């Protein structure tokens, strides 16, 4: 899947934050608008309710005052009281005008119009100087009906208040539901955006981390590819340049190893031949002391030859796939051959060699398997103290051959276990001897064993095991398939 990335990592972060924040901002704005609309409607409703309540109460009060003034004028026969009636009438008409501007229903407006008309009729009779008292008394009785109309307006105003309150409650509930649904809709959107941008951001970082780990562990065969913003792609290109540079340096190192190893073989040949001639007393009889020195020269020239062969084997394995010449082998034959080769080294340190091998046939390359066992046994001899023991055991476990080599040395430090099979790595517990090791013996062992489709590991020593010597020291186990598959071959 192809992702589109901004030009820089910073822009990618900003874009991610912006897209995640936009839905939240939209929800906040929408909620603010809903709350504002609800507040405005509530404000209008409260204002109209107060106005309706006050106006309806004022109407009732004014009608009562006007009725009282009219009755006093009729009873006392004092037309001067008509002036007080006129003042109340003006307030009644003003209140009615204000009242008519409110959003009332038809019943209220009809009642209001009836009050205005009825009062106008009453006022017409009261203001007529020629009207008799009986007529005036009769029309004043109409105030009772007008008061009933005012009561209807008051009741309807209360109902209006209840309707507005219910409408506001309904509006608030609707706004709440809308806000809730918006939040429910925003949650998956925000989660999707967060996960999407987390993937976009983490993907190139994970690629960089993986590339750095491969380079740190010495895996230079996989190109570094980083997809992402241009600045991270540029960083990936620099890591690729570093990988190619490390590959070039590794090739130069291997070429140097091969060249030096080959050049060392010429003087080594002279040393081997000279030590052999001295040991065979070709140049004359040797005293016991001279024979001992000649034997030491011969032994150490053999050790030097093994070190050079290890260097050559390692250099070759880096450039060519290990070629195997598979054939059925009896594991005891391989063990006996290596034991004969190491006989002098074992005798020089007065070591005891313990061999416990089943009669197992394995399909393998004899020379490669000999090198594997020879390197393991050489290490065991080097690290074992004088008078100690080296144990070799071989047994069949299902479809696998398990080959153990154990020694009585100081063992392998826990901090060295992760690196013990790396080329040129030498642990903290170094063997004491005239010739220092190169640190590639175990790397060659791993290379040859893996070529057979097997594995090699360091096993914790257990005292009561019957497969190898228990106690301190190192125990290395090689597992080989008894029958080779086409992939392993």
């Amino acid at each position: 899947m192809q992702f589109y990335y901004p030009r820089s990592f910073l822009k990618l972060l900003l874009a991610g934050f912006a897209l995640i924040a936009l839905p939240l901002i939209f929800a906040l704005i929408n909620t603010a608008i809903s709350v504002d609309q609800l507040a405005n409607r509530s404000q209008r409703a409260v204002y109209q309710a107060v106005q309706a309540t006050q106006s309806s109460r004022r109407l009732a009060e004014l009608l009562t005052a006007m009725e009282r003034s009219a009755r006093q004028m009729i009873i006392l026969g004092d037309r001067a009281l008509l002036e007080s009636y006129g003042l109340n009438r003006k307030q009644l008409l003003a209140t009615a005008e204000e009242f008519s501007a409110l959003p009332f229903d038809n019943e209220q407006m009809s009642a209001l119009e009836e009050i205005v008309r009825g009062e106008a009729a009453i006022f017409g009779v009261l203001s007529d100087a020629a009207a008799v008292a009986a007529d005036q008394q009769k029309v004043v009785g109409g105030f009772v009906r007008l008061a009933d109309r005012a009561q209807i307006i008051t009741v309807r105003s209360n109902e209006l208040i209840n309707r507005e309150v219910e409408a506001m409650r309904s509006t608030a509930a609707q706004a709440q539901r809308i806000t809730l649904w918006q939040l429910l809709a925003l949650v998956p959107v925000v989660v999707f955006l967060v996960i999407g941008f987390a993937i976009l951001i983490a993907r190139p970082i994970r690629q960089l981390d993986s590339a750095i780990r491969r380079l740190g562990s010495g895996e230079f065969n996989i190109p570094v590819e980083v997809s992402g913003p241009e600045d991270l792609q540029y960083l990936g290109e620099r890591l690729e340049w570093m990988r190619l540079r490390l590959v070039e340096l590794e090739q130069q190192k291997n070429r140097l190893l091969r060249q030096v190893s080959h050049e060392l073989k010429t003087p080594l040949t002279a040393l081997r031949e000279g030590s052999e001639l001295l040991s065979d007393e070709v140049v004359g009889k040797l005293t016991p002391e001279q024979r001992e020195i000649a034997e030491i020269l011969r032994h150490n020239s053999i050790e030097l030859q093994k070190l050079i062969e290890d260097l050559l084997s390692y250099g070759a394995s880096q450039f060519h796939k290990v070629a195997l010449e598979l054939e059925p082998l009896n594991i005891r034959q391989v063990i006996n051959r290596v034991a004969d080769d190491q006989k002098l080294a074992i005798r020089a340190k007065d070591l005891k060699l313990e061999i416990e091998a089943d009669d197992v046939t394995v399909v393998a390359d004899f020379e490669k398997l000999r090198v594997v066992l020879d390197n393991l046994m050489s290490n065991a001899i080097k690290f074992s103290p004088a008078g100690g023991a080296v144990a070799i055991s071989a047994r069949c476990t299902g479809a696998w051959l398990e080959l153990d080599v154990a020694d009585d040395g100081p063992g392998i430090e826990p901090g060295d276990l992760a690196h013990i099979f790396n080329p040129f790595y030498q642990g903290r517990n170094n063997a004491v001897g005239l010739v220092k090791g190169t640190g590639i013996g175990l790397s060659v062992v791993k290379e040859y064993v893996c070529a057979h489709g097997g594995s090699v590991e360091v096993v914790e020593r257990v005292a009561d095991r019957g497969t190898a010597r228990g106690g301190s020291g190192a125990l290395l186990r090689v597992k080989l398939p008894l029958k080779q598959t086409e992939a392993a071959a």
Side-chain angles (χ1 to χ4, degrees):
M1 182 177 180
Q2 185 67 31
F3 295 102
Y4 170 75
Y5 287 95
R7 295 179 63 86
S8 67
F9 189 69
L10 178 60
K11 290 183 179 180
L12 176 61
L13 290 177
L14 294 177
F17 288 139
L19 287 178
I20 293 172
L22 279 177
L24 300 178
I25 295 174
F26 170 78
L28 289 175
I29 293 175
N30 192 34
T31 302
I33 293 174
S34 299
V35 171
D36 183 66
Q37 291 176 346
L38 182 61
N40 291 335
R41 182 170 181 178
S42 301
Q43 184 179 4
R44 289 195 303 269
V46 171
Y47 175 77
Q48 292 173 358
V50 171
Q51 288 292 103
T53 303
Q54 291 178 348
S55 298
S56 59
R57 186 183 299 114
R58 183 66 174 161
L59 282 174
E61 292 174 353
L62 288 172
L63 288 173
T64 302
M66 292 168 66
E67 181 182 4
R68 183 170 56 250
S69 297
R71 289 186 183 279
Q72 288 176 351
M73 184 187 71
I74 294 171
I75 294 172
L76 298 176
D78 186 3
R79 295 190 63 81
L81 295 175
L82 189 60
E83 183 178 353
S84 175
Y85 181 93
L87 293 175
N88 290 328
R89 184 174 186 274
K90 289 181 180 180
Q91 294 181 15
L92 177 68
L93 294 176
T95 302
E97 185 177 358
E98 293 176 358
F99 201 86
S100 62
L102 298 176
F104 292 133
D105 56 15
N106 294 330
E107 186 177 356
Q108 287 176 301
M109 298 306 295
S110 177
L112 180 62
E113 292 175 357
E114 187 175 348
I115 290 173
V116 173
R117 288 196 305 269
E119 189 279 329
I122 294 173
F123 179 73
V125 174
L126 292 176
S127 61
D128 187 5
V132 295
D135 294 335
Q136 293 177 344
Q137 188 70 29
K138 183 178 180 181
V139 295
V140 169
F143 276 109
V144 175
R145 188 168 53 82
L146 296 181
D148 292 338
R149 297 293 94 187
Q151 184 64 29
I152 292 175
I153 293 176
T154 302
V155 172
R156 298 296 293 178
S157 296
N158 293 333
E159 292 178 356
L160 173 65
I161 294 174
N162 293 333
R163 287 199 305 271
E164 288 296 331
V165 170
E166 186 63 29
M168 285 189 294
R169 184 183 295 113
S170 176
T171 302
Q174 183 180 5
Q176 185 178 10
R177 287 194 300 271
I178 292 174
T179 303
L180 179 61
W181 281 111
Q182 285 178 344
L183 290 177
L184 292 177
L186 284 176
V187 167
V189 173
V190 172
V191 170
F192 174 77
L193 290 174
V194 169
I195 294 175
F197 272 92
I199 294 174
L200 288 177
I201 293 172
R203 189 167 181 255
I205 295 177
R206 188 167 56 249
Q207 291 173 338
L208 288 173
D209 178 71
S210 177
I212 293 173
R213 289 179 181 273
R214 289 198 302 269
L215 293 178
S217 61
E219 299 179 15
F220 305 139
N221 58 327
I222 302 178
V224 177
E225 295 181 356
V226 177
S227 59
E230 290 185 359
D231 46 5
L232 295 185
Q233 289 184 8
Y234 175 76
L235 184 58
E237 292 172 359
R238 302 310 296 169
L239 286 176
E240 174 64 11
W241 172 84
M242 181 186 293
R243 182 190 72 85
L244 296 176
R245 181 61 179 159
L246 290 173
V247 170
E248 182 181 353
L249 293 175
E250 186 74 11
Q251 293 174 348
Q252 292 177 0
K253 181 190 71 175
N254 291 329
R255 283 194 295 269
L256 178 63
L257 285 176
R258 295 207 316 275
Q259 182 178 355
V260 171
S261 300
H262 280 291
E263 291 180 355
L264 288 175
K265 292 186 70 174
T266 300
L268 176 62
T269 302
L271 288 174
R272 284 291 309 274
E273 291 178 353
S275 62
E276 293 289 345
L277 291 175
L278 289 175
S279 298
D280 294 341
E281 297 181 342
V282 174
V283 295
K285 286 296 248 185
L286 300 177
T287 63
E289 293 79 5
Q290 292 172 336
R291 186 176 296 105
E292 182 179 0
I293 294 174
E295 190 64 26
I296 292 174
L297 288 174
R298 177 177 174 276
H299 172 70
N300 283 278
S301 64
I302 293 174
E303 290 293 325
L304 181 58
Q305 180 180 359
K306 289 182 178 180
L307 292 177
I308 294 175
E309 289 175 351
D310 286 343
L311 289 173
L312 288 173
S313 299
Y314 172 74
S317 67
Q318 299 303 301
F319 286 93
H320 306 287
K321 183 180 178 181
V322 178
L324 302 178
E325 296 182 3
L326 301 176
E327 58 179 326
L329 301 174
N330 190 298
I331 192 62
R332 293 185 63 90
Q333 296 178 353
V334 182
I335 294 175
N336 293 335
R337 164 68 184 276
V338 175
D340 290 339
D341 294 340
Q342 298 289 344
K343 187 180 298 184
L344 182 60
I346 294 173
R347 187 169 58 189
K349 297 187 70 172
D350 192 24
L351 298 175
K352 180 181 179 182
L353 180 61
E354 300 176 357
I355 300 177
E356 182 181 349
D358 297 340
D359 190 12
V360 180
T361 300
V362 59
V363 178
D365 186 308
F366 178 84
E367 184 59 27
K368 300 296 187 298
L369 192 55
R370 183 197 67 79
V371 172
V372 167
L373 186 57
D374 185 78
N375 281 330
L376 294 177
M377 193 170 177
S378 296
N379 281 344
I381 294 171
K382 288 178 184 178
F383 287 97
S384 292
V390 174
I392 301 176
S393 65
R395 61 196 171 278
C396 178
T397 56
W400 296 86
L401 166 69
E402 288 189 358
L403 180 63
D404 290 353
V405 178
D407 60 60
D408 288 341
I412 300 174
E413 293 289 336
D416 296 331
L417 293 175
H419 312 285
I420 199 67
F421 294 104
N422 293 344
F424 304 102
Y425 181 84
Q426 298 188 32
R428 298 174 178 85
N429 297 327
N430 290 324
V432 179
L434 296 175
V435 180
K436 184 176 177 64
T438 61
I440 65 172
L442 290 181
S443 67
V444 173
V445 169
K446 183 177 180 180
E447 188 80 21
Y448 286 173
V449 170
C450 291
H452 282 82
S455 63
V456 57
E457 60 181 341
V458 179
V459 181
E460 183 180 358
R461 298 293 296 274
V462 181
D464 59 352
R465 287 185 67 92
T467 56
R469 287 177 58 86
S472 62
L475 170 59
L476 282 86
R477 174 171 297 164
V478 174
K479 293 183 67 175
L480 295 174
L482 296 177
K483 295 182 180 180
Q484 293 291 325
T485 62
E486 292 183 3

